[in-house]
């Protein structure tokens, strides 16, 4: 049902859509007539990017490029597929606020991750932060889309996203973090492997003593 709803929404947008060329988006893009300053990524295998004309008028070229890079980050992470999987896998918590809270936390984490993919450590961070502030000012309070669709301001927590983008602290490069993770796994494994044989000998000796001591 969520997937069909997403298709219907995309079809409605396409009725007033005009092809749009935005840098190296790597996906089909369309300008649409929409009251809200919306930028949305619809689809999984061949996703399409929909951008409201109001948003096109509000953003600078740098802000628009950073926003498109954010949506491209969602595409590379297959976030729409993950959203669809969550919609297709209800559980016993679905009738409680716990499930909605978990989905909100996931949506927030996916937005932060897409921000990092788009901005990196370069000046694009400032452009993306500026775009988020503009969109937040132009967007009225609204309920997040229930369909598997990624948008620029989904997941809430805009303040924390802007703060992270403008944080001057330089994050550790992804390669260094990966090396750290591998070391954290490899070192304990090596220690365990080195001590495995002596440990077996101790266990064997203890077993012999226990068996010999039995009546």
């Amino acid at each position: 049902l969520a997937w069909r709803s997403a298709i219907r929404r995309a079809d409605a947008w396409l009725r007033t859509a005009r092809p749009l060329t935005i840098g190296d988006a790597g996906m089909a893009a369309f300008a649409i007539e929409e009251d809200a300053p919306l930028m949305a990524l619809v689809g999984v295998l061949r996703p399409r990017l929909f951008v409201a004309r109001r948003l096109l008028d509000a953003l600078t070229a740098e802000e628009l490029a950073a926003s498109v890079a954010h949506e491209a980050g969602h595409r590379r992470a297959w976030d729409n597929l993950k959203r669809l999987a969550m919609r297709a896998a209800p559980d016993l918590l679905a009738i409680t606020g716990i499930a909605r809270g978990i989905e909100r936390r996931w949506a927030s984490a996916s937005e932060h991750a897409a921000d990092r993919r788009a901005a990196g450590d370069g000046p694009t961070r400032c452009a993306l932060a500026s775009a988020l502030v503009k969109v937040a000012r132009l967007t009225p309070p609204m309920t997040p889309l229930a369909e598997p669709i990624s948008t620029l301001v989904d997941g809430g927590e805009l303040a924390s996203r802007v703060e992270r983008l403008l944080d001057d602290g330089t994050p550790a490069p992804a390669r260094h973090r990966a090396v750290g993770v591998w070391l954290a796994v490899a070192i304990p494994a090596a220690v365990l492997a080195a001590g495995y044989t002596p440990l077996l000998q101790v266990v064997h000796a203890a077993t012999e003593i226990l068996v010999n001591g039995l009546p």
Side-chain angles (χ1 to χ4, degrees):
L1 290 175
W3 183 248
R4 290 179 61 185
S5 179
I7 293 175
R8 287 196 298 268
R9 188 182 293 271
D11 289 342
W13 283 336
L14 284 172
R15 294 192 189 103
T16 61
R18 295 291 183 273
L20 184 64
T21 301
I22 306 180
D24 186 21
M27 57 191 130
F30 302 89
I32 60 174
E33 300 295 340
E34 182 76 17
D35 292 336
L38 181 74
M39 178 177 288
L41 184 69
V42 184
V44 175
L45 297 179
R46 291 183 296 275
R48 294 169 290 185
L49 183 66
F50 294 92
V51 187
R53 293 187 184 279
R54 186 181 180 190
L55 183 61
L56 292 172
D57 294 337
L59 300 183
T60 65
E62 292 78 10
E63 292 167 347
L64 183 59
S67 301
V68 172
H70 171 92
E71 293 303 318
H74 281 304
R75 177 173 63 92
R76 291 193 298 272
W78 297 87
D79 282 339
N80 282 355
L81 179 61
K82 296 172 185 176
R83 291 174 188 273
L84 183 61
M86 286 190 289
R87 292 288 180 270
D91 54 56
L92 296 178
L93 299 177
I95 61 175
T96 71
I98 298 176
R100 292 188 294 273
I102 292 172
E103 289 193 16
R104 283 195 300 269
R105 289 176 67 89
W106 176 86
S108 175
S110 70
E111 294 302 324
H112 280 290
D115 287 344
R116 289 194 299 271
R117 296 186 193 98
D121 300 330
T124 309
R125 294 183 302 155
C126 295
L128 181 55
S130 178
L132 291 177
V133 172
K134 285 185 178 181
V135 173
R137 289 175 176 173
L138 294 171
T139 304
M142 57 183 296
T143 303
L145 299 179
E147 299 92 336
I149 297 174
S150 298
T151 62
L152 182 62
V153 294
D154 192 18
E157 299 191 11
L158 284 176
S160 66
R161 290 174 61 187
V162 172
E163 288 176 0
R164 287 195 183 185
L165 286 167
L166 298 180
D167 186 6
D168 289 332
T170 302
R175 182 176 61 183
H176 292 174
R177 290 197 297 270
V179 171
V181 170
W182 278 109
L183 288 177
V185 174
I187 292 176
V191 172
L192 180 62
Y196 187 65
T197 299
L199 178 62
L200 286 180
Q201 293 174 349
V202 171
V203 172
H204 176 73
T207 304
E208 289 290 334
I209 294 175
L210 180 63
V211 170
N212 294 329
L214 291 176

